[in-house]
Amino acid sequence: MGYQEVYEGWKADPEGFWMEAAKAIDWDEAPQKALFDRGDNMYEWFADAKVNTCWNAVDRHVENGRGEQTAIIYDSPITHTKREISYVELRNRVANLAGALRAKGVEKGDRVIIYMPMIPEALEAMLACARLGAVHSVVFGGFAANELAVRIDDAKPKAIIAASCGLEPGRVVHYKPLLDGAIELSEHKPDFCVIFQREQEVAELIEGRDFNWHGFQYGVEPADCVPVEGNHPAYILYTSGTTGQPKGVIRHTAGQLVALNWTMKNLYNVEPGDVFWAASDVGWVVGHSYICYGPLIGGNTTIVFEGKPVGTPDAGTFWRVISEHKVKSFFTAPTAFRAVKREDPKGEFVKKYDLSCLGQVYLAGERADPDTIVWAQDQLKVPVVDHWWQTETGWAIAANPIGIEELPTKLGSPTVPMPGYEVTILDDEGHPVPANTLGAIAIKLPLPPGTLPTLWNAEERFKKSYLNTFPGYYETGDAGIMDEDGYVSIMARTDDVINVAGHRLSTGAMEEVLASHPDVAECAVIGVTDSLKGQMPMGFLCLNAGTNRPHEDIVKESVKLIREKIGPVAAFKLACVVDRLPKTRSGKILRATMVKIADSEEFKMPATIDDPAILDEIKVALQGLGYAKG
Ligand code: COA
Ligand code: AMP
C-alpha cells in the first residue's frame, strides 16, 4: 500500500485505522472503542482501555525474547564513556527504581519532576514513573532555577528526581544548587528528592529531604507495572506560549503508545532490533517521543548521546556514533547540521566513517533550509526527511513516510500530512484558502491519538490557545501554504514564539523578565534571522525618564537577568537601548516590522503606524548591533 491509499484509508475510517494500529500494543484491557467525544470539541482516545507504558516499552520485549538485546546505548564524548543496557537490565533497573519511589509514597497519578542531563538514568526515571502510573514532567537542564520553580508550582510534584550535575562543553552545570534554588523559590514543596550523583560533581544532600539514587533503592521490593486507564496522563511537558507561564502539554497513555508505535515503522522505517538515534535532549518533546518512548515501544535500540554536533571533540561526532553503533535512522535539528556544515563544508569527516548502516535522516524542530538539506543529501547519500511537528502533537503532523513509500521531496516542504491529520490552511475568517495561498495552518478536529487532549489544570487556556480561533479546528500557531499536490510548507509562527537552535522560546516571557529591570520602562523582544541558529532573540529597551546610567551597563544587566531567570538556553545576548518603540495608533508594538528591518527585508509601512520616524531610529539601533544592513 502506498501513502495515498493509507491516508485515504484513514480518512474513510479513522477509528478503524487506529483500532487496527492498536493491535500492536499489549493491553491489560483492550479498547472496545477508539474515539471518545467529550463534547465542546474535546476528544480522548482509547479511554476505556487499561494499559501500562513501561510494560510496552520494556517488559514485553523481555517476555518476547528480546531481553539480551541492547535497549539503550549511552555514548558521551564529554565524559568519554560508552555503556550498553540490555532490555532485561533495563527492566530490572526500572522495577527497582519504581519500587523505591513507591516505598517513599509515589503512587499512580502523583507527579514527579525529572531534572536530568543526557544520561540513561533520565530514561530510567521516566520509565519508573510510567511503571507506577505516576505522571512525570521532565525539565530541560538549560533552564534557570526560576523556570524550574514555575513548573514545580504548576505540576505540584510529590518527588523530584535530579542529577548532581550536567556537562556542557567546558562547563559543569550545577544542577543541585539550581534545584535547591528552585525549591526555595516555589510555593509547593516536594516530599522528597532523589539525587543521582555523577562523579564529575558530587552534590551535598539535604538531610531528610534528599536521597541518594543508589542508596534509596537498597533492599526495596521491585515494582510491577500498574495498569492505567487509556486516558491517564503519561506525562506533562511544559512548552513556551505567549506569556511567561509555560503551557503544560499533557499526553495520554494509550494514544501515545499506539501513535508512537505506528510511526516507528511507517515513518522512521525501523523494525524491532534496529538502532534508532534522535540527537536531542530528554527535556524536549523529541526526547520524550524518540529518545525514550517511541524506539523502546518499537523494540529498537535507542541512543542517549551526551555531546554536541561540533566540539565534542569535532564535527565528525555524529558520523562516528552512526557508524560505531550501526544507526539505521537518525534524527536531528537543522541547526546541528548547519553547525557541522560550517566546520566541515566538504564533509572530510564524513569520509572517515563507514555509514553504510544509515538508511535515512530526519530533521525537525525548526524550518529546514534547502541549503542544509541539499548538503546533507550530498554528504550522506540517503533520503533526508524534513518533518513538521510540535510539542503539542507529540509526533509528526507532516512528513515523508518512508516506511510506507518514499514520496518525491520538494525542498522547503516537510512533505504531506500523516494519517490522523487533516491539515487545512485558513484565512483570518477561518475559511479554507486555495492552494499555494498563505494562511494559518489548522488541523480539523479531532486530533489523532498521541496528541494533547488538553493542558495540565488549564482547560480554558487550552481552548483559548488552540480551539477558539477556528471553531472545529486545532490552531497550530504556524502559518504556511499547501500546494496542489498536498505538500505543506511552514513559513512562520503566528504568535510570539521564536525558535532558537531548534529550541522553542517565548519572546513574551523574555519581555516580562526585561520589564522587571528597575531602569526599563518598556521593552520588546524579537527573533532576528541567524545563519546558524535559525533565529536569535534581540531586545529593545526604553528606559525610565531620568535614568542616566551608562546604556552598556543596563544592556549587560538585562542579558544577565534573562540568563538568571530563564536560563542559558534562551541564548539572549543582543540588546540595545532606544528612545521609543514603533507602535500602532492603538499601542500595539510592531514587532513583525522590526524583524523585517533587522533582516533587511522589504516591508510595507503598516497603515496603522503611529509615527513612522521611529522606524528609522530602530534601524540605526539595529545597525549598531550589526543588523539592518540592507
Ligand atoms: N543544560 C545546560 N545548559 C545548556 C543545555 C543543557 N542541556 N543545552 C544548552 N545549554 C546552554 C549552552 O551551553 C549555551 O550556554 P552558553 O551561553 O554558556 O554558551 C546556551 O545554553 C545556548 O545553547 P545553544 O543555543 O544550544 O548553543 P550552543 O552554542 O551551546 O551550541 C549548537 C550550538 C548548534 C551546537 C547547538 O545549538 C545544537 O546542538 N543544536 C541542535 C539543537 C537541537 O538538537 N535541538 C533539539 C530540538 S529537536
Ligand atoms: P516544539 O514544540 O519545540 O517542537 O516547536 C514546534 C514549532 O517548531 C512548530 O510549531 C514550528 O514553528 C517549528 N517547527 C518544527 N518542525 C518544523 C519544520 N520541520 N519546519 C518548520 N518549522 C518547524
Side-chain angles (χ1 to χ4, degrees), residues 406-452:
E406 188 185 340
L407 298 171
T409 49
K410 297 189 188 185
L411 285 177
S413 162
T415 324
V416 290
M418 290 297 90
Y421 295 100
E422 189 173 335
V423 175
T424 315
I425 315 289
L426 302 175
D427 65 16
D428 289 347
E429 277 73 51
H431 304 302
V433 298
N436 297 309
T437 311
L438 183 68
I441 315 183
I443 300 163
K444 195 105 192 277
L445 293 171
L447 290 175
T451 56
L452 85 170

Side-chain angles (χ1 to χ4, degrees), residues 65-132:
R66 294 192 166 276
E68 296 310 316
Q69 183 195 311
T70 302
I72 300 175
I73 297 173
Y74 169 55
D75 188 311
S76 167
I78 297 191
T79 60
H80 308 285
T81 314
K82 289 174 205 168
R83 187 152 70 90
E84 297 194 356
I85 300 169
S86 68
Y87 270 103
V88 74
E89 279 175 90
L90 183 62
R91 198 253 336 252
N92 297 344
R93 292 171 66 90
V94 170
N96 274 330
L97 180 60
L101 289 170
R102 173 181 284 164
K104 288 257 168 300
V106 175
E107 295 289 347
K108 178 186 163 201
D110 290 337
R111 272 82 57 211
V112 175
I113 281 188
I114 298 173
Y115 188 51
M116 296 183 103
M118 284 298 290
I119 51 177
E121 288 76 8
L123 275 62
E124 290 170 9
M126 293 163 81
L127 292 162
C129 291
R131 198 168 185 88
L132 297 173

